[in-house]
Amino acid sequence: MPTLIKKPTRVTAVGNKPKLIDEYVGRMNSKTQNISVAHMRSPGGWEEPGQTPEFREITLVLAGTLRVEHKGGVLDVHAGQTVMCEPGEWVRYSTPDEEGAEYVAICTPAFSPGTVHRDS
C-alpha cells in the first residue's frame, strides 16, 4: 500500500549561513534507512565544510547555482541540471551566487550525520 508523506521534517543545516532543509523521506521523517529525499534552499554565499560521505548523493538543482568542489576541480550545477557524487568521494557544496539555490538531494543509503564525515 502506498505511504503518504504529509509533511517534511525541518533539519538543522551545517554551514556559515542559515539554510533550509526539509526532509521528506529519510531517517528522521519516514524512518527510512535506504534512501533520503530532501528539499533544500540555501542563501547566496552559503558554504559548508567538505565531506567524504558513505552514501551516493544525487542533487537536482531547481533554481540558482550549486557549486560542487571535488578533488579534481569545481562544478557549477545550474537550474535543470543534476550532479551525482559517489560514496567515498570528497566534495564541498556552496551557493556562491547572490540568489542562492534551491535543490533536491537524494541519498542512498539515507543521509546520516554519522556517515557524512565532514572535515573538521
Side-chain angles (χ1 to χ4, degrees):
M1 177 173 194
T3 301
L4 175 64
I5 310 276
K6 292 185 179 184
K7 64 180 186 168
T9 296
R10 179 66 46 92
V11 179
T12 303
V14 174
N16 65 329
K17 293 183 172 186
K19 168 183 162 180
L20 299 176
I21 301 176
D22 291 325
E23 180 188 275
Y24 285 84
V25 174
R27 296 175 192 270
M28 291 185 67
N29 198 53
S30 63
K31 309 300 183 227
T32 305
Q33 306 294 314
N34 62 338
I35 190 168
S36 59
V37 178
H39 182 201
M40 307 202 191
R41 292 165 303 279
S42 56
W46 169 83
E47 55 188 39
E48 68 179 0
Q51 60 191 36
T52 309
E54 295 178 24
F55 48 81
R56 171 180 287 134
E57 187 164 7
I58 302 163
T59 307
L60 167 62
V61 178
L62 303 173
T65 299
L66 178 68
R67 178 163 288 161
V68 182
E69 297 175 52
H70 56 95
K71 296 258 183 193
V74 176
L75 291 171
D76 282 340
V77 187
H78 305 284
Q81 296 181 326
T82 301
V83 62
M84 186 166 58
C85 300
E86 296 298 326
E89 180 176 20
W90 181 87
V91 293
R92 182 172 178 266
Y93 297 101
S94 63
T95 49
D97 294 343
E98 187 176 316
E99 72 271 9
E102 179 180 2
Y103 48 100
V104 174
I106 301 163
C107 300
T108 59
F111 175 91
S112 165
T115 61
V116 70
H117 305 297
R118 295 192 195 283
D119 297 347
S120 45

